[in-house]
Amino acid sequence: MSNDWMNDPALAGIDRAKLEFLQALVFESRGLQRERMLPFLMAVAKRGQADHITFSNEEIETIVSVIKKESTPEEAATIDKMMRMRKNKG
């Protein structure tokens, strides 16, 4: 995914540092094997906490909707599944 998604007008109200953090995640996670994904995500969570990067529910919903516009149908289905799991947890 290129960083063009970060220029979507819907994201204008979200701090650019947050969007760059997400973009870095996308590139760093590419090619990771399934068993390495959880340790990667744990490290990312710690890094986000250290950098004081948090996302409101509204920011998450907006970012997800923008990313889905750039996604394949399969990727969008995976995103929807993750969002349902997130909502069921909270």
Side-chain angles (χ1 to χ4, degrees):
M1 174 188 295
S2 71
N3 65 352
D4 291 342
W5 68 274
M6 294 190 314
N7 298 319
D8 190 294
L11 302 174
I14 299 176
D15 185 350
R16 187 75 178 184
K18 291 180 178 185
L19 300 177
E20 290 172 358
F21 177 78
L22 291 175
Q23 183 67 22
L25 285 178
V26 170
F27 285 112
E28 290 175 27
S29 66
R30 282 195 175 149
L32 282 182
Q33 296 174 355
R34 183 172 233 163
E35 63 272 2
R36 299 184 81 199
M37 189 58 75
L38 183 58
F40 171 76
L41 293 174
M42 300 286 282
V44 164
K46 282 186 179 184
R47 188 171 68 198
Q49 288 175 338
D51 292 342
H52 306 288
I53 295 176
T54 60
F55 296 90
S56 69
N57 286 335
E58 184 179 318
E59 288 174 326
I60 291 169
E61 294 291 331
T62 302
I63 291 166
V64 166
S65 69
V66 169
I67 290 173
K68 282 177 62 177
K69 287 192 247 179
E70 304 285 328
S71 301
T72 65
E74 294 81 16
E75 291 167 335
T78 300
I79 291 168
D80 287 339
K81 181 179 178 182
M82 290 180 355
M83 293 302 290
R84 281 192 303 278
M85 289 182 352
R86 179 181 176 274
K87 285 181 182 176
N88 290 337
K89 267 184 119 178

